[in-house]
């Protein structure tokens, strides 16, 4: 089949894309920026023509490709939940533009939304249902799948539960943690999404998808701790409102405030399947919550996490359009530049640069980086809790602690390797970290474009640390003594 996949760069999108390609389908992936797509992971399919990438922003109809051609099915996986205020309007605009753009070019649409509770909907679930309504007003028949908590390596739900259970020996559990949900493994979600293609009976239908168990959020935390062999004390309290819970969630986990508010608001809604028709139409082995956790950790242990929610641009403050202009500013900036002759072979130095941050920490004064991350969280920033998707691989658009990867080019054949990071922590200006590795030299440049007088005061206040930190970091990277073997 010829398939159109929107959101091909997203958490669900990347996993679904691989499943579709391995099943023999021809896929056109629509992304906002091709530069953020992990081309190396899909080079085989791009090379033989089974995968074609198109650029376009659903919020900007003029940017959408003309002459799409006929496709057998289109997946709609776009959402703006983590993008902050006004996400409902953006989701509505996206769905309307998608509907009009696709009219006459597609036989069916498959849409993944959220389970609808019996009581009043949260803003997030209300927006998801509004998208469903708008898509169904078009001429193309829509298959709607509604899911509760999706559990898998890299999913927002899994990573938040993981952070809470791993880091807190005792947790205050407010009233909303007693809300019931029906978690579903990411493997089963992909199974249903792909299974719809071969099941004509699902065309135009609406289906609830869930795992085999109904659990409370408190039970999710407790079960996770049991799987990991952790002793955790869950203390029920009546006074933590959803608003206070969102602030606590933002402080302890990698979520942004916008995403934390949306999540907590949705957690007050009971999301349990009200019908199970899909089980008979697309039979598959449904993984229990415990099995889903164990499978997630098996992928993590093998460094085989294909996608993560933290790499969504909505998890930071970088404008997606920024990736179209990756030039580090040159005027009105303050810099620290280190030029070091390579001690190790070039490939080893590139590997060391590509391993910075995450679980390996930073090559110089790692305690200072951690302290800066804690300070950032305290003033409402993202801190360093996002880590990184993979210990040695980096792609444009990846989150890396409190940085965003803007360019990741390993070079070769006389071309220098280049890694550019843009700071998403709260700073009075713009901060960049740029690494260039030639055949003989490592050039490491920290660039700061201050905003007003306070920005300059900020730079000079941390200058003593920079004088100690950056020279050592450059020398250690150039020696190849940092990374998988040197950490």
């Amino acid at each position: 089949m010829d398939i159109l996949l929107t959101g091909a760069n997203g958490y669900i999108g990347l996993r679904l894309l691989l499943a579709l390609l391995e099943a023999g389908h021809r896929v056109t992936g629509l992304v906002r920026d091709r530069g953020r797509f992990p081309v190396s992971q899909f080079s085989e399919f791009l090379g033989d023509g089974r995968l074609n990438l198109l650029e376009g922003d659903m919020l900007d109809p003029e940017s959408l490709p003309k002459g799409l051609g006929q496709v057998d099915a289109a997946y709609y996986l776009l959402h703006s939940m983590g993008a902050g205020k006004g996400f409902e309007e953006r989701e509505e605009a996206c769905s309307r533009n998608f509907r009009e753009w696709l009219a006459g070019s597609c036989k069916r649409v498959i849409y993944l939304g959220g389970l609808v509770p019996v009581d009043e909907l949260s803003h997030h679930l209300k927006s998801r249902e509004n998208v469903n309504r708008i898509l169904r007003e078009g001429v193309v028949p829509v298959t709607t799948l509604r899911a509760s908590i999706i559990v898998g390596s890299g999913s927002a739900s899994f990573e938040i539960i993981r952070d809470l259970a791993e880091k807190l020996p005792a947790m205050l559990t407010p009233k909303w943690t007693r809300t019931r949900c029906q978690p579903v493994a990411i493997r089963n979600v992909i199974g249903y999404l792909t299974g719809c293609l071969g099941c004509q009976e699902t065309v135009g239908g609406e289906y609830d998808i869930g795992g085999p168990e109904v659990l409370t959020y408190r039970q999710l935390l407790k079960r996770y701790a049991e799987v990991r062999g952790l002793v955790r004390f869950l203390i029920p309290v009546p006074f933590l409102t959803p608003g206070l819970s969102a602030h606590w969630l933002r402080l302890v986990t990698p979520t942004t405030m916008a995403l934390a508010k949306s999540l907590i608001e949705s957690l007050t809604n009971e999301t349990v399947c009200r019908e199970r028709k899909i089980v008979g139409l697309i039979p598959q082995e449904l993984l229990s919550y415990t099995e889903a956790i164990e499978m997630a950790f098996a992928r993590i242990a093998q460094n085989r996490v294909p996608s993560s929610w933290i790499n969504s641009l909505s998890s930071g403050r970088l404008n997606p359009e920024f990736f179209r202009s990756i030039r580090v500013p040159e005027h009105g900036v303050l810099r620290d530049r280190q030029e070091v002759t390579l001690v190790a072979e070039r490939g080893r130095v590139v590997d060391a640069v590509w391993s910075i941050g995450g679980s390996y920490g930073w090559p110089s004064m790692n305690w200072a980086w951690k302290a800066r991350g804690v300070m950032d969280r305290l003033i409402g920033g993202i801190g360093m809790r996002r880590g990184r998707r993979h210990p040695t691989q980096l792609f444009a658009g990846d989150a890396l602690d409190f940085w965003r990867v803007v360019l990741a080019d390993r070079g070769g054949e006389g071309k220098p390797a280049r890694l550019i990071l843009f700071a998403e922590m709260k700073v009075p200006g713009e901060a960049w970290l740029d690494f260039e590795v030639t055949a003989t030299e490592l050039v490491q440049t920290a660039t700061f474009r201050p905003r007003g007088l306070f920005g300059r005061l900020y730079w000079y206040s941390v200058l003593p640390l920079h004088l100690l930190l950056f020279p050592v970091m450059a020398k250690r990277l150039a020696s190849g003594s940092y990374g998988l073997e040197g950490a």
Side-chain angles (χ1 to χ4, degrees):
M1 288 187 179
D2 290 307
I3 309 296
L4 171 68
L5 176 61
T6 65
N9 261 340
Y11 172 70
I12 300 290
L14 281 173
R15 296 177 186 235
L16 178 58
L17 175 58
L18 185 59
L20 292 171
L21 291 168
E22 289 181 341
H25 298 293
R26 295 176 297 276
V27 183
T28 297
L30 181 68
V31 296
R32 283 191 296 183
D33 191 329
R34 185 187 176 107
R36 288 186 54 230
F37 186 83
V39 172
S40 62
Q41 293 182 27
F42 294 90
S43 56
E44 173 191 348
F45 304 107
L46 287 165
D48 63 18
R50 279 181 285 171
L51 173 60
N52 178 38
L53 292 179
L54 298 178
E55 281 190 334
D57 186 347
M58 207 58 70
L59 285 172
D60 179 13
E62 294 301 315
S63 73
L64 297 174
K66 305 297 189 293
L68 174 65
Q70 288 292 323
V71 294
D72 296 298
Y75 287 92
Y76 188 81
L77 301 178
L78 304 178
H79 69 86
S80 304
M81 185 178 73
K85 187 176 180 181
F87 76 88
E88 300 101 322
E89 290 79 7
R90 286 189 288 273
E91 290 198 336
E92 180 171 335
C94 277
S95 56
R96 290 188 185 280
N97 293 337
F98 173 79
R99 186 187 68 190
E100 300 307 316
W101 177 61
L102 201 64
S105 300
C106 182
K107 296 178 182 178
R108 67 181 299 190
V109 169
I110 301 173
Y111 166 60
L112 179 63
L115 274 176
V116 180
V118 177
D119 51 358
E120 185 178 355
L121 300 183
S122 67
H123 290 297
H124 164 54
L125 292 177
K126 190 179 296 183
S127 180
R128 298 275 75 201
E129 275 304 290
N130 188 43
V131 168
N132 182 46
R133 178 186 60 79
I134 291 169
L135 294 178
R136 288 181 169 276
E137 288 174 352
V139 296
V140 181
V142 177
T143 299
T144 302
L145 303 181
R146 296 186 176 93
S148 179
I149 296 288
I150 296 176
V151 183
S153 55
S155 77
S157 305
F158 174 79
E159 295 300 336
I160 288 171
I161 290 171
R162 180 184 180 186
D163 262 327
L164 290 172
E166 296 275 359
K167 297 174 181 177
L168 302 175
M171 285 174 275
L172 302 179
T173 54
K175 182 179 179 181
W176 58 261
T177 62
R178 297 193 288 275
T179 304
R180 298 193 310 159
C181 63
Q182 195 160 349
V184 58
I186 181 64
R187 169 177 289 192
N188 294 139
V189 174
I190 300 301
Y192 283 131
L193 286 168
T194 56
C196 285
L197 294 176
C199 184
Q200 280 298 113
E201 192 172 345
T202 61
V203 176
E206 300 183 65
Y207 305 94
D208 292 350
I209 61 175
E213 303 166 287
V214 175
L215 303 167
T216 66
Y217 293 105
R218 178 185 172 90
Q219 289 173 318
L220 296 184
L221 289 165
K222 186 176 180 181
R223 185 82 65 85
Y224 177 96
E226 290 172 352
V227 171
R228 296 289 287 160
L230 303 171
V231 177
R232 293 295 181 259
F233 300 97
L234 306 181
I235 307 167
V237 293
F239 53 80
L240 270 182
T241 65
L244 288 173
S245 296
H247 282 284
W248 174 244
L249 200 64
R250 188 205 59 77
L251 186 64
V252 177
T253 71
T255 60
T256 62
M257 192 60 202
L259 182 57
K261 285 182 176 179
S262 295
L263 285 171
I264 293 296
E265 185 187 19
S266 295
L267 296 185
T268 60
N269 289 134
E270 183 171 281
T271 50
V272 175
C273 296
R274 288 190 280 174
E275 54 82 24
R276 302 303 305 275
K277 293 179 292 184
I278 195 75
V279 174
L281 295 173
I282 305 176
Q284 60 175 312
E285 180 185 355
L286 296 177
L287 300 181
S288 69
Y289 177 61
T290 297
E291 290 170 331
I293 293 174
E294 291 171 343
M295 182 167 292
F297 273 101
R299 280 190 172 272
I300 292 169
Q302 299 167 24
N303 290 325
R304 292 175 56 231
V305 181
S307 62
S308 172
W309 73 277
I310 63 174
N311 292 319
S312 163
L313 287 181
S314 63
S315 73
R317 67 184 185 95
L318 188 59
N319 189 320
E321 290 301 313
F322 182 78
F323 282 93
R324 302 187 184 278
S325 175
I326 58 176
R327 189 179 181 87
V328 178
E330 298 178 356
H331 304 290
V333 299
L334 301 165
R335 282 197 185 93
D336 180 286
R337 182 180 174 90
Q338 306 290 330
E339 300 179 15
V340 184
T341 301
L342 301 188
V343 176
E345 63 175 4
R346 177 189 175 278
R348 186 176 177 87
V349 175
V350 173
D351 288 341
V353 173
W354 255 247
S355 300
I356 59 176
S359 59
Y360 293 119
W362 290 77
S364 175
M365 298 173 65
N366 192 46
W367 62 268
W369 294 93
K370 289 183 177 180
R372 183 62 181 87
V374 171
M375 291 170 57
D376 192 53
R377 295 293 287 181
L378 291 175
I379 61 175
I382 56 176
M384 294 180 68
R385 298 183 186 277
R386 296 186 305 185
R388 51 182 291 165
R389 177 186 55 83
H390 189 279
T392 58
Q393 295 178 0
L394 289 175
F395 298 99
D398 278 2
L400 196 169
D401 292 342
F402 46 53
W403 302 90
R404 179 73 65 173
V405 179
V406 176
L407 176 68
D409 182 358
R410 295 181 70 96
E413 297 183 1
K415 180 182 177 183
R418 188 88 182 273
L419 177 66
I420 301 178
L421 308 178
F422 176 81
E424 294 190 313
M425 60 186 139
K426 286 185 175 293
V427 288
E430 296 176 5
W432 307 71
L433 198 52
D434 184 354
F435 302 90
E436 184 173 356
V437 185
T438 68
T440 60
E441 187 179 49
L442 166 69
V443 180
Q444 171 190 289
T445 308
T447 302
F448 184 67
R449 180 159 60 188
R451 186 169 55 246
L453 176 62
F454 185 62
R456 291 184 174 274
L457 291 175
Y458 169 81
W459 172 266
Y460 289 113
S461 70
V462 296
L463 187 58
L465 276 177
H466 289 177
L467 294 176
L468 296 172
L469 186 153
F470 287 133
V472 174
M473 185 164 81
K475 289 178 181 177
R476 189 173 182 200
L477 289 172
S479 70
S481 62
Y482 169 81
L484 284 173
E485 296 181 10

